[in-house]
Amino acid sequence: MQDWDVIVVGGGNAALCAALSARESARRVLVLERAPEDEAGGNSRFTAGAFRVVYGGVEDIKRIVPDLTSEEIARTDFGTYTADQFFDDMARVTQYRCDPDLTELLVRRSLDTLLWMQKKGIRFVPIYGRQAFKVDDRFKFWGGLTVESVGGGPGLVDALTRAAQKNGIEIWYSARATALIADDDGVHGLRVKREGKTLDVRAKSVVLAGGGFQANAEMRARYIGPGWELAKVRGTRFNTGDVIRMALAIGAASAGNWSGCHAVQWDRNAPEFGDLAVGDAFQKHSYPWGIMVNATGRRFVDEGADFRNYTYAKYGRVVLEQPGQFAWQIFDAKVLHLLRDEYRIKRVTKLSANTLEELVRKLDDVNADAALAEIRAYNKAVRADIPFNPNIKDGRGTTGLAVDKSNWANTIDTPPFEAYAVTCGITFTFGGLRINTDAQVISTDGDAIPGLFAAGELVGGIFYFNYPGGTGLMNGSVFGRIAGASAARAAESTHQSKRASGT
Ligand SMILES: Cc1cc2nc3c(=O)[nH]c(=O)nc-3n(C[C@H](O)[C@H](O)[C@H](O)COP(=O)(O)OP(=O)(O)OC[C@H]3O[C@@H](n4cnc5c(N)ncnc54)[C@H](O)[C@@H]3O)c2cc1C
């Protein structure tokens, strides 16, 4: 049996931040990653690396991105993203359910945590491509989502892994934690299946950062609801909820929105799980500039209800609820230049047409006559008197439709037309373990379980119903850092009490 100060379960952003933080004071830190090395990094590796962070203006951006050039500064309006705005966004999109104490930490520690990561060797850049628009030759950022890790998710995981190695943290790949070793005094280690062999590994404290249960079809149907076994998984196939279950098995309390998840519009023909060669490019997030119809040919959601950062995470569910679990996004030539890069990948379910009649005939599995009537009715309802402006919520909506569009309503009348087939892609689940502000896992009796900490996707109580883009990584980093520091402190006090008692 091996002895460690801190063992971290998981190989994504939350786990590696926890390990780096623990290693600042603990000597022997081990990371257990279930995936083999070439698939390691969890959902974090599938991301674009976008981080939602509080910043007061260009000076803070310069601290996060020290190699920002003066030319970049001159041509960019970074705006600001205040703590109040972050609180408001969290409160609004979670319908005021997000845990106030955990949200407070997420918001207030966001900038400091990003700077801490940067000191560990993680580099960030502004997200010019996806989160800014050009206005009079200057880039203007618009949503509080302003920086991403260099190299996106793969770059983030590589940089964190390099930092872990540099700091003497050991990583075991293909090492699946299967159970916690625990008694009345708390947690003392883990049972692990490493390359097919089961062994017990002792630790003074354990941090759980093994992700949610989205890659487990049975748990999806059981907790999120009927039909969810039919969703595609956007990210890693390894987040099957076993880390949550092993904590529940020793008396950890569950928390949060167990029937909720982050789910987006995702290519209808994407594979069952994420494909690292494609990353997040199966997503189709430019729907605010067009319309969507389902199998009955009808529109079913307000495509322009808000900026995509505030609707994309809940519209996957809306598509799953449509007959056949799919929809077609439709655009005309006027907005094609606004479509995000993901619309131009090779593996895309796309069609083009020169007339609306041809377009609706080509839409697989859709009632063509109804779709044509729907597009014509929509075109008539557009408030063409209000100018279209993608940088603001322009109020150019429709009036009098069963489902009105609130912003960015353009008529669909200029060929060529393009349509993209989407289904629901689940990103991560919202239900998980209850933690306190030291990232200690709380038991069903309401006490902290000695020696057990948690961070990232498997923590419940932070996200409900919806999610502001870029918060998943920030959440993993902030609480990973806290969990690692708390675990190292707990390990040290176990060590001291053992010394004092002579054991
Ligand atoms: C396509 C896509 C794009 C995204 N884009 C963004 C974005 O740009 N910005 C953002 O903030 N969020 C984004 N997200 C959400 C983000 O990925 C997650 O919120 C975040 O990565 C969660 O980090 P984590 O460390 O908790 O989990 P993960 O990164 O998923 O790590 C969990 C780890 O646990 C391991 N594991 C599981 N079970 C076990 C076990 N039994 N034993 C040992 N290890 C185990 C897994 O192999 C994995 O390495 C995106 C997600 C996807 C899928």
Side-chain angles (χ1 to χ4, degrees):
M1 197 178 284
Q2 307 206 24
D3 265 316
W4 297 85
D5 291 323
V6 177
I7 296 182
V8 180
V9 179
N13 174 57
L16 294 169
C17 285
L20 285 166
S21 168
R23 184 67 187 90
E24 288 179 348
S25 51
R27 214 167 47 87
R28 286 170 53 76
V29 177
L30 171 66
V31 169
L32 299 176
E33 162 62 297
R34 176 181 169 184
E37 192 166 356
D38 60 349
E39 289 183 83
N43 263 357
S44 304
R45 182 148 162 207
F46 283 86
T47 69
F51 280 79
R52 181 168 293 263
V53 61
V54 167
Y55 62 94
V58 66
E59 288 309 314
D60 282 339
I61 298 294
K62 271 162 58 186
R63 292 167 72 201
I64 302 169
V65 189
D67 38 10
L68 203 63
T69 64
S70 45
E71 189 252 333
E72 281 170 320
I73 293 170
R75 67 182 166 93
T76 311
D77 175 2
F78 289 105
T80 60
Y81 190 58
T82 64
D84 282 351
Q85 282 173 298
F86 200 166
F87 282 123
D88 282 353
D89 285 337
M90 282 294 294
R92 179 168 46 86
V93 306
T94 65
Q95 297 176 30
Y96 302 90
R97 294 248 182 195
C98 56
D99 180 291
D101 298 329
L102 299 182
T103 306
E104 177 88 22
L105 284 172
L106 168 65
V107 170
R108 301 242 180 254
R109 300 269 178 94
S110 59
L111 176 59
D112 179 55
T113 300
L114 226 53
L115 296 173
W116 171 82
M117 289 175 76
Q118 193 227 53
K119 288 205 182 72
K120 300 281 179 201
I122 321 306
R123 289 175 52 229
F124 299 96
V125 285
I127 318 177
Y128 281 111
R130 293 174 163 192
Q131 297 292 335
F133 282 99
K134 238 178 170 176
V135 186
D136 299 334
D137 250 19
R138 285 193 90 208
F139 283 98
K140 185 173 169 52
F141 280 86
W142 46 270
L145 195 49
T146 299
V147 292
E148 64 186 353
S149 47
V150 170
L156 172 69
V157 171
D158 286 352
L160 285 166
T161 305
R162 271 197 306 277
Q165 285 159 348
K166 202 171 112 198
N167 283 275
I169 293 163
E170 193 160 326
I171 304 178
W172 292 358
Y173 293 102
S174 303
R176 178 177 188 172
T178 56
L180 285 158
I181 301 169
D183 59 21
D184 292 345
D185 296 328
V187 167
H188 307 289
L190 289 142
R191 179 150 292 183
V192 182
K193 196 157 186 186
R194 188 182 187 196
E195 288 165 355
K197 292 256 177 314
T198 298
L199 67 154
D200 286 349
V201 201
R202 290 193 73 85
K204 298 192 181 82
S205 31
V206 169
V207 177
L208 302 179
F213 61 84
Q214 62 277 359
N216 182 329
E218 186 266 347
M219 282 183 85
R220 284 203 305 272
R222 181 192 295 245
Y223 295 111
I224 309 178
W228 278 91
E229 69 279 14
L230 303 173
K232 309 228 181 203
V233 177
R234 295 178 67 204
T236 177
R237 64 192 171 97
F238 294 103
N239 290 3
T240 50
D242 33 335
V243 183
I244 297 177
R245 285 198 295 202
M246 75 179 70
L248 297 179
I250 64 146
S254 61
N257 188 197
W258 275 71
S259 61
C261 62
H262 180 301
V264 308
Q265 295 178 62
W266 195 246
D267 193 288
R268 191 179 178 194
N269 292 308
E272 184 183 357
F273 297 107
D275 178 342
L276 280 167
V278 179
D280 65 0
F282 286 126
Q283 69 198 10
K284 295 290 167 273
H285 285 175
S286 294
Y287 54 88
W289 317 138
I291 61 165
M292 298 193 276
V293 297
N294 66 14
T296 69
R298 306 299 301 269
R299 285 179 57 252
F300 53 89
V301 76
D302 181 352
E303 302 89 345
D306 203 335
F307 286 119
R308 81 100 223 174
N309 280 347
Y310 303 108
T311 57
Y312 79 105
K314 61 179 182 178
Y315 280 2
R317 178 184 286 267
V318 179
V319 171
L320 190 86
E321 286 164 355
Q322 302 312 306
Q325 303 88 40
F326 74 93
W328 283 92
Q329 299 180 354
I330 298 172
F331 306 96
D332 81 352
K334 298 196 293 297
V335 295
L336 293 182
H337 66 286
L338 290 175
L339 299 191
R340 295 157 55 106
D341 291 349
E342 68 230 21
Y343 285 76
R344 287 181 271 279
I345 66 169
K346 267 201 191 129
R347 287 166 67 184
V348 62
T349 310
K350 166 187 173 177
L351 58 85
S352 314
N354 282 318
T355 64
L356 285 176
E357 289 75 6
E358 182 194 356
L359 177 85
V360 296
R361 268 202 318 278
K362 283 183 167 176
L363 298 176
D364 280 342
D365 305 325
V366 171
N367 179 329
D369 293 340
L372 190 59
E374 186 78 352
I375 297 170
R376 287 187 174 140
Y378 163 83
N379 282 347
K380 275 200 193 126
V382 169
R383 292 278 315 270
D385 52 317
I386 302 173
F388 169 67
N389 183 347
N391 301 328
I392 55 166
K393 284 205 245 175
D394 61 6
R396 181 183 160 112
T398 61
T399 46
L401 297 178
V403 181
D404 271 316
K405 185 172 178 187
S406 304
N407 296 287
W408 312 301
N410 284 309
T411 46
I412 312 272
D413 55 10
T414 309
F417 304 101
E418 287 187 1
Y420 296 82
V422 290
T423 184
C424 170
I426 183 168
T427 319
F428 66 93
T429 44
F430 289 161
L433 304 175
R434 184 178 298 285
I435 62 166
N436 64 13
T437 51
D438 288 323
Q440 291 175 290
V441 175
I442 303 301
S443 78
T444 47
D445 292 325
D447 309 315
I449 300 175
L452 192 61
F453 305 84
E457 231 172 47
L458 54 54
V459 169
I462 298 176
F463 305 119
Y464 289 79
F465 311 119
N466 190 9
Y467 153 105
T471 317
L473 289 173
M474 198 70 255
N475 172 47
S477 297
V478 167
F479 288 100
R481 186 184 178 200
I482 293 172
S486 298
R489 258 196 322 274
E492 177 58 20
S493 63
T494 312
H495 191 63
Q496 279 167 2
S497 58
K498 278 197 176 156
R499 247 195 331 231
S501 67
T503 55

